[in-house]
Amino acid sequence: MKTTRAWQFHLKELPIMSGSRQRPPLKKPMWIIILVSMVCIFLVAAYIYPLQNSAAAACNFFNSKGCTEYVDVPSTPSRALTDDENYSQVVIREILKTPFIQSKNPKIAFLFLTPGSLPFERLWDKFFQGHEDRFSVYIHASREKPVHVSRYFVGRDICSDKVAWGKISMVDAERRLLANALRDPDNQHFVLLSDSCVPLHNFDYVYNFLMFTNVSFIDCFVDPGPHGTGRYSEHMLPEVEKKDFRKGSQPGMEHGKNCYADEHYLPTFFHMIDPGGIANWSVTHVDWSEGKWHPKSYRAQDVTYELLKNITFIDESLHVTSDVKKTVMLKPCKWNGQRRPCYLFARKFYPETLDRLMHLFSNYTMV
C-alpha cells in the first residue's frame, strides 16, 4: 500500500509530455513459443540423427523426394591423385552401387598363390571330389607354368607376374586372383591359400562354415611394436592414418624383415572399409611359437593323426605383440556367436608330407 501511494505522489509531479502515445495492449508472445519449439525439435533431431553431412542430415530428417538422388560429394584430396588412384575410386564406387546378386548356385573360390606346381594338388583333388558344382579354382604361378595332376586344376591358371615374397607384388598377385574370381557371380566366398596349405576338414564342413556366416575371416590386430605400428610410414597419408594401421598373417609371408605389404594390406583395408564385418582371426592355422622370422614348418616325421586333430580342436586365436612387453592376446573363435574351432586349413607343410597326409586325410577330416 505504501508503495502505491508513493508512486502516485511522484506521478503528479511529472510533466505531461505533449503528443505522448498510449502503449497498445501486449500481445501473447506466440512467436517466442514457436521459435523455442523449433529449436527444441532440431536439438532432438541432431541428437537422434548425428549425421556428419548437413545435406544428408536434411534428407534423412525431412525424407524429401529429392533426396533419392542424393550422393555424397567426395572431399577434396590433400594432394593430386594419380591416374591409377582415380581409376580405383571410380571402380570402387561402381562396385559399391552394384546390388548384391543372390546366386542360385553359390560357390567358394579357392585362390592359390604358388611359385610353380602345387605339391599338394593330389590332396586337394581328394578334397574337391564330388563337389564339382560348389567351388572354383584359380592359380597364380609366379615363376614357372605349373604341371597339373588333377582335373580340377587344369586350365585354371590366370595371367600371372613375378612375386617377391613379402613385397607389394604379393598384394598385386592377391588382387589379380580376386579380380579373376569376381568375374563369376556365383563365387560368394574367397579363400586365399599358399602352395604349403592343406585342408583340415572335409569339403562339406568347410563349405557350411563359410557360407552360413556373414563375416570375412581376416587376421587383424593392433601390434604396437616394431613389427606392427613401427612399420607405419607417413607416406601412407592421407589414405591410411596411423590409428587405422593393422597387422595380420597372410599366406605366402615367409621372409621376416621383408614381410610388410602382405602382412598389413588386407588387415588394414578391411579394418578401414568394414571393421564390423571381419572376425579378426584367420581360418588358416600357422604356428609362430618358435619365435623366428618364419613359422614352424612340418616335415614328414611331424605329420601324425594327433598333430592334425590337435590343430582342428584349437578354438582360440593367438596374437603376440612385437614390443618389449610381448603381450599375449587370446580370444575365443566365435562362429555366429557360438564358440567353434578356429581353423579350416593349415600351413606350412613341406612337399615330403604329401603321402602321410593322403594316408591320414579320411580320418582327420571327419566331422
Side-chain angles (χ1 to χ4, degrees), residues 212-232:
F212 296 108
T213 189
N214 60 350
V215 299
S216 298
F217 295 95
I218 301 292
D219 192 28
C220 179
F221 71 105
V222 178
D223 179 3
H227 302 149
T229 309
R231 292 172 174 169
Y232 178 80

Side-chain angles (χ1 to χ4, degrees), residues 137-141 145-146 148 153-160 180:
V137 171
Y138 301 87
I139 306 156
H140 185 288
K145 184 175 177 61
H148 298 298
F153 291 79
V154 174
R156 305 308 301 169
D157 303 303
I158 69 168
C159 182
S160 307
N180 279 269

Side-chain angles (χ1 to χ4, degrees), residues 130-191:
H131 307 284
E132 287 75 8
D133 60 340
R134 297 198 289 169
F135 72 91
S136 53
V137 171
Y138 301 87
I139 306 156
H140 185 288
S142 59
R143 296 181 189 170
E144 56 189 32
K145 184 175 177 61
V147 176
H148 298 298
V149 296
S150 167
R151 61 191 176 102
Y152 301 123
F153 291 79
V154 174
R156 305 308 301 169
D157 303 303
I158 69 168
C159 182
S160 307
D161 203 351
K162 292 182 179 180
V163 169
W165 300 101
K167 299 292 186 180
I168 196 65
S169 56
M170 170 69 72
V171 176
D172 292 336
E174 294 172 356
R175 293 167 60 187
R176 208 170 287 125
L177 282 164
L178 284 168
N180 279 269
L182 285 168
R183 295 172 63 184
D184 184 349
D186 287 334
N187 289 330
Q188 301 292 302
H189 283 263
F190 308 86
V191 179

Side-chain angles (χ1 to χ4, degrees), residues 349-361:
F349 289 81
Y350 276 99
E352 66 188 57
T353 62
L354 175 61
D355 290 338
R356 292 286 299 160
L357 290 167
M358 291 287 292
H359 175 71
L360 295 169
F361 180 79

Side-chain angles (χ1 to χ4, degrees), residues 22-23 44 109 129 253 270 272 284 322:
Q22 291 185 346
R23 188 183 297 261
V44 172
Q129 280 180 13
M253 184 188 64
F270 275 88
M272 293 176 62
T284 300
S322 61

Side-chain angles (χ1 to χ4, degrees), residues 49 51 55-64 67 70:
Y49 302 103
L51 301 177
C59 285
N60 282 275
F61 183 67
F62 291 109
N63 195 25
S64 170
C67 292
Y70 174 79

Side-chain angles (χ1 to χ4, degrees), residues 21-63:
R21 296 177 300 175
Q22 291 185 346
R23 188 183 297 261
L26 293 174
K27 295 182 179 179
K28 293 182 179 179
M30 291 300 296
W31 66 274
I32 297 178
I33 297 174
I34 294 172
L35 178 62
V36 172
S37 300
M38 292 283 290
V39 171
C40 291
I41 291 172
F42 278 100
L43 286 175
V44 172
Y47 179 78
I48 298 175
Y49 302 103
L51 301 177
Q52 294 178 353
N53 186 288
S54 58
C59 285
N60 282 275
F61 183 67
F62 291 109
N63 195 25

